Structure formats: structure tokens, C-alpha cells
Amino acid sequence: MAEVGAERTELRLLEEHPRSRRTVVRMALIYTPAAILALALAGIALYNLVTGSIGAVVGVILLTPIALALAYQSVTALRDLWARPVRTRGEVARLWDKGTVLWMTRSYYTLVETPKPADPSKFQRHVFVISQLSSLDLRDGSSVEVEHWPHTNTLLRLWAVERQAAPPKPRSERPSRPTMASATSLLA
């Protein structure tokens, strides 16, 4: 619990993923070989296109976006292997859910905005995958604190920041000062 001016803030843990490091390692192990393979195939298709095989256009068009997406995922996971988790405090700008593989399951997402230190009128935005229960607890505009891996935004812990007005400080009872009228009544 922290005191901020006349407000107290309290963190309420919504979810925790103690094995998130394994998730980052698994992402690196899956995406890195896939990215290398896709980049090699896209490179072969591009080489064939340059050397005169017009049919390689299809391979270049299909493989290049896939290879770039896999390479991006691989690089972010590899960067997180040497990074330390960071904490981000901000407000929920948006909550949404969407169907995953063949719409058999749903994933829940939140967009957290934090003011940029250099220009507080602009925001840094982070998208996190959260649990269904956390998505039910949060609303747009809710204050949250997130501990996450910095490049993949893989969640470690999610807290709701609850602000409460600080109780008023008790007033000390001081004896009243004698006034001129009370002083003259004592003399009379």
C-alpha cells in the first residue's frame, strides 16, 4: 500500500503466471527455427524470381509476409531471454476478446496506456493477453499495474490499482488562547 498525496493506493492481484519464463523460452524455440526455415524458403523463391523463373512470384508473395512475421516473433522472444521483467502502471484503454484456432476457444486482451515521460500528452501502448476472470474484473479506464517481459509483453503478474481516499488526520486538541476580554474579566 502506498500513500500518494491525499490518496492511498492498494494493489489487488488479479492473475499471476510464475512460469512465464518457460513461455518465453518456448516461443524462442518454436519461432526461431520456423523463422530461419521461412526466411530460407523466401530467399530461394526470391533468388529464383531474380534468375528468371516467373512462377517464383507466387512463392515470394506467400512466403515473405510469413517469414517476416515469424522473424519478428523470434527476435522479440530472443531479446526477452536476456531481459529482465519490467513493471508498467497505466489505465486500461480497451478490453476485447476474440476467437482463436477455429473459434473453439477465446483469448482476452487488454490495451494499457501509460503517459510517455518525455511528453505526458502522448501515450505508450502495451497489449497483454489476460485471463477471462481478469477481463471480467477490469473496465475501460481501470488503473492497473502489470509485471511483464518487455519485448513480448508476456504477463507475469497483473494487479488492479484501487485508490481510496486517505482518512483525515486527527486534529490535536489545543487549549484555546486567552483573549483580551477573558483577561480583563480575570482582573475584575
Side-chain angles (χ1 to χ4, degrees), residues 91-106:
E91 289 191 0
V92 174
R94 183 174 174 220
L95 288 163
W96 73 97
D97 61 285
K98 100 184 201 191
T100 56
V101 180
L102 298 176
W103 300 279
M104 292 184 169
T105 61
R106 300 205 70 72

Side-chain angles (χ1 to χ4, degrees), residues 26 59 73 127 144 170:
R26 187 178 333 119
Q73 290 292 328
V127 176
V144 294

Side-chain angles (χ1 to χ4, degrees), residues 6 10 33 41 73 82 131:
E10 190 170 309
L41 291 175
Q73 290 292 328
W82 288 277
S131 70

Side-chain angles (χ1 to χ4, degrees), residues 119-138:
D119 187 5
S121 65
K122 296 183 180 177
F123 294 97
Q124 291 177 327
R125 295 185 170 114
H126 301 275
V127 176
F128 300 102
V129 178
I130 60 174
S131 70
Q132 181 181 13
L133 293 175
S134 295
S135 73
L136 294 173
D137 278 346
L138 297 174

Side-chain angles (χ1 to χ4, degrees), residues 28 35 46 59 72 91 93 109:
L46 186 61
Y72 175 78
E91 289 191 0
Y109 302 92

Side-chain angles (χ1 to χ4, degrees), residues 10-170:
E10 190 170 309
L11 299 177
R12 182 172 49 96
L13 185 65
L14 295 178
E15 68 180 276
E16 182 174 25
H17 301 280
R19 296 182 179 167
S20 65
R21 175 82 176 163
R22 288 184 185 176
T23 302
V24 172
V25 170
R26 187 178 333 119
M27 289 171 66
L29 289 174
I30 291 171
Y31 287 122
T32 302
I36 291 170
L37 179 65
L39 286 170
L41 291 175
I44 291 169
L46 186 61
Y47 173 77
N48 286 334
L49 180 66
V50 171
T51 58
S53 177
I54 197 69
V57 169
V58 175
V60 170
I61 290 172
L62 292 177
L63 290 173
T64 302
I66 294 169
L68 292 175
L70 289 171
Y72 175 78
Q73 290 292 328
S74 172
V75 168
T76 58
L78 290 171
R79 288 178 70 190
D80 272 352
L81 290 178
W82 288 277
R84 291 181 179 230
V86 295
R87 280 194 174 198
T88 301
R89 185 179 277 212
E91 289 191 0
V92 174
R94 183 174 174 220
L95 288 163
W96 73 97
D97 61 285
K98 100 184 201 191
T100 56
V101 180
L102 298 176
W103 300 279
M104 292 184 169
T105 61
R106 300 205 70 72
S107 291
Y108 298 87
Y109 302 92
T110 183
L111 175 66
V112 176
E113 289 184 335
T114 58
K116 287 187 177 181
D119 187 5
S121 65
K122 296 183 180 177
F123 294 97
Q124 291 177 327
R125 295 185 170 114
H126 301 275
V127 176
F128 300 102
V129 178
I130 60 174
S131 70
Q132 181 181 13
L133 293 175
S134 295
S135 73
L136 294 173
D137 278 346
L138 297 174
R139 298 281 174 257
D140 289 352
S142 299
S143 292
V144 294
E145 187 165 321
V146 184
E147 186 176 8
H148 60 94
W149 295 100
H151 306 291
T152 59
N153 283 339
T154 301
L155 199 67
L156 274 85
R157 289 176 197 85
L158 173 66
W159 294 276
V161 178
E162 297 173 346
R163 289 187 172 95
Q164 302 167 348
K169 292 183 179 180

